[in-house]
Structure formats: C-alpha cells, structure tokens
Amino acid sequence: MTAAAASASPSAARSTPTSAATSTGASAVDKGVGPLLRGWREQRRVSQLELALRAGSSARHISFVETGRSRPSEEMVLRLAEHLDVPVRDRNALLLAAGYAPRYPETPLDDPALDALREGVERLIQGYEPYPAFVVDATYNVVAANRGIAMLLDTVPEHLLAPPLNAMRLTLHPEGLAPRIRNLREWRGHLLAQMERDIALRRSEPLRVLYEEVAAYPCPAEGSPRSENESDSGSGSGNESDEGPGEAVPYFALPMQIEHDGRVLSFISSISTFNTPMDVTVAELAIETLLPADPATVKYLQSLMS
C-alpha cells in the first residue's frame, strides 16, 4: 500500500478526531446562559415571541431569561436549544452557563463504546468502493476513507498526507488536488460557502482559522487547467481510445471535475450526518460520498476493480 493510501485507509477511523471547541466553550459560565441564548436567537433571526411559541413559553419569560432576571430550568435550556438548532457541543455550554451538568458526552472515536458505530461506518464506505467515500469531523479532519479516496490522492505530496489529514486543505492546497480540479474556481467557491455556513451554525473558532487558511490559497485565473494528455475536443474521456469524443453531460448538481491518469473524472458530492445524536463526537461526524456524474467516470472506476 502506498503512503497516500495508508493515510486514507479505513483504519484511520481509529484515531481520535481533533476537538472542535467553540467560542462558547470555557467562558460560557462567565457569560451566563441569557446572553448566550440571545446570541443564538439573534443569529437564527428568531424573535422572542416566535421562540416562545415554538418552545411553549411566553415572550416575557424568554426576555427574563435573556436578561438574567429568570433562571431557566434544565428542560427549558434544552428545549430552547433544540428550537434554535444549537449544535450538541454548544448545548453543553448552555447547560454549564445555566448551572447544570453537561448532558452530552464526548466519546473518543477509538473508544470501545463506539466500536459498533465505527465498524458500521467502515463497512459503509468500503461497500461504496470503487467510488470514493470518506468521513470527517467538525473541522474536516479525515477520520476514515476508502480506496477510492486513496486513488485520488496518489499524486499528493507526503507533507499534505501527514495526520491529521484535512479534506479542505487536501482539496484546495496548491500542492494538493487543486491543480487537477478542472473547475477549481467553481468548486472552491462551493467549498468556501459550505465552510461559511458551518461557521455560522457552529460558531467554531478552529473552523474559522481553517477557513482563513484555505481561503488565502492562491485562486486560479479564469479558465480551467487542462491535462497534457487530454484532447481539446473531448469532454473528459482522455486516453480512452475505444470511445469517440465525449458528449456533453447535463449535470444535475455542480460536479467536481478532476484529472486522474490522463482522464477527467466527474463527481457529485453527497453529505450524510447522524439523526438525533446523543454524543458530541457522533454529532460532528459527516460521511461524504462522491457519486460518479457521468458514464465515463462510472466505466473507469469500475475498470479499476477488474
């Protein structure tokens, strides 16, 4: 197995993901639960009356909680957090600020308690082969990946494959996948917008630091790079001599078009998370699968298994 494949192997799931502490972490108790709840409500653009109606309370009580005149019950804190779509990690911070114990544990991914979940995820992404699939934590560190991902990383330099592998850094770094992505400007814009949404949702300082790093990577000039081995008239079939010029494909979502071994492969990204997670680690995991977006990509990936 190559170094790249080893770094992206499913066994990587047995490493503990980097903690994604947020701005509402250790200082939450000092701020008090009222200002924190008001901050989440304002960020979600929900009025006190609307929140009260959702949570079965009154606007007067919500106002008293936010100003510190009333201490909410533990049940009320959790109810308000749910209706404000507060991430699980930050619900613990709200509980601490209100004087209650955290409700949600943060179990290391290599803990025996998560054996069933980890093994299930590994079977899932292995079963997706030869198509690429991987699992990331809250700051896009890769905690598991299949051989389809290893195939895409086979030309990435060793220093970018050192743990922790980071999906955003690997994709957008000028020595990573970026030079091989034919529609990098579009794909880069999609990834940065995705990170901006995550920052707004989670208010994560480590995620913001990562965003500032990858957003500062050089952006290509207008026009897509082309492989030296690719025909100008083709649509990405490259050196597949048994096929004629490729036909235009009506993509149903923005594809990532990436050069590999003289071909251009097209993928549509799909992201899955766990429903109603009761653990911070599990809540912050996301499974990303790359679905082939055209017949040529399907044919090439399936040929790798023969």
Side-chain angles (χ1 to χ4, degrees):
M1 180 180 291
T2 65
S7 299
S9 67
S11 62
R14 287 176 170 75
S15 61
T16 302
T18 303
S19 174
T22 63
S23 58
T24 56
S27 62
V29 175
D30 298 331
K31 293 181 179 180
V33 69
L36 290 178
L37 282 170
R38 182 175 62 248
W40 283 108
R41 180 180 60 77
E42 291 175 347
Q43 183 172 324
R44 299 295 188 255
R45 299 182 179 181
V46 176
S47 68
Q48 289 181 342
L49 177 58
E50 184 178 355
L51 179 58
L53 291 173
R54 292 180 185 178
S57 183
S58 67
R60 175 187 173 94
H61 182 57
I62 300 299
S63 176
F64 278 18
V65 168
E66 291 185 353
T67 59
R69 296 179 62 183
S70 178
R71 178 176 180 245
S73 67
E74 182 179 11
E75 179 185 2
M76 177 58 73
V77 172
L78 291 172
R79 195 186 314 160
L80 294 175
E82 179 179 359
H83 289 290
L84 290 172
D85 195 23
V86 176
V88 171
R89 179 184 295 277
D90 295 275
R91 296 186 192 193
N92 279 343
L94 290 172
L95 288 168
L96 282 170
Y100 303 110
R103 173 68 64 91
Y104 306 97
E106 184 174 1
T107 309
L109 195 55
D110 58 359
D111 190 288
L114 295 183
D115 279 353
L117 178 140
R118 187 179 61 251
E119 292 168 5
V121 167
E122 290 183 358
R123 284 196 300 272
L124 179 65
I125 63 175
Q126 288 172 15
Y128 196 66
E129 293 174 355
Y131 308 148
F134 59 102
V135 184
V136 295
D137 65 15
T139 51
Y140 293 97
N141 287 328
V142 179
V143 298
N146 69 6
R147 289 178 296 177
I149 291 295
M151 176 268 297
L152 292 179
L153 299 181
D154 61 1
T155 62
V156 173
E158 291 291 335
H159 70 89
L160 286 179
L161 298 174
L165 241 61
N166 187 274
M168 290 297 180
R169 190 175 291 118
L170 281 168
T171 304
L172 298 178
H173 195 282
E175 295 181 65
L177 298 179
R180 293 161 45 200
I181 298 177
R182 291 285 305 276
N183 57 338
L184 179 59
R185 290 183 67 87
E186 292 175 293
W187 194 250
R188 176 181 183 273
H190 155 68
L191 293 182
L192 293 180
Q194 178 179 314
M195 294 184 74
E196 289 169 356
R197 291 192 297 269
D198 285 346
I199 291 170
L201 174 64
R202 300 172 182 167
R203 303 201 296 197
S204 167
E205 185 57 29
L207 190 55
R208 182 176 296 279
V209 170
L210 176 65
Y211 173 86
E212 291 174 353
E213 175 193 334
V214 299
Y217 292 159
C219 186
E222 290 292 344
S224 301
R226 304 190 71 85
S227 168
E228 294 180 0
N229 299 324
E230 183 188 351
S231 168
D232 286 338
S233 61
S235 67
S237 59
N239 57 4
E240 295 177 287
S241 58
D242 59 331
E243 295 183 358
E247 298 179 358
V249 176
Y251 294 116
F252 47 88
L254 176 67
M256 178 181 71
Q257 298 172 321
I258 183 168
E259 296 177 7
H260 182 268
D261 194 25
R263 298 167 173 81
V264 175
L265 307 179
S266 295
F267 296 100
I268 301 296
S269 171
S270 173
I271 299 175
S272 303
T273 56
F274 291 93
N275 287 332
T276 59
M278 301 298 292
D279 186 283
V280 173
T281 298
V282 177
E284 294 178 345
L285 292 178
I287 304 170
E288 183 159 0
T289 53
L290 299 180
L291 177 71
D294 58 38
T297 300
V298 173
K299 180 178 180 180
Y300 174 66
L301 294 177
Q302 290 180 346
S303 72
L304 297 180
M305 296 191 69
S306 59

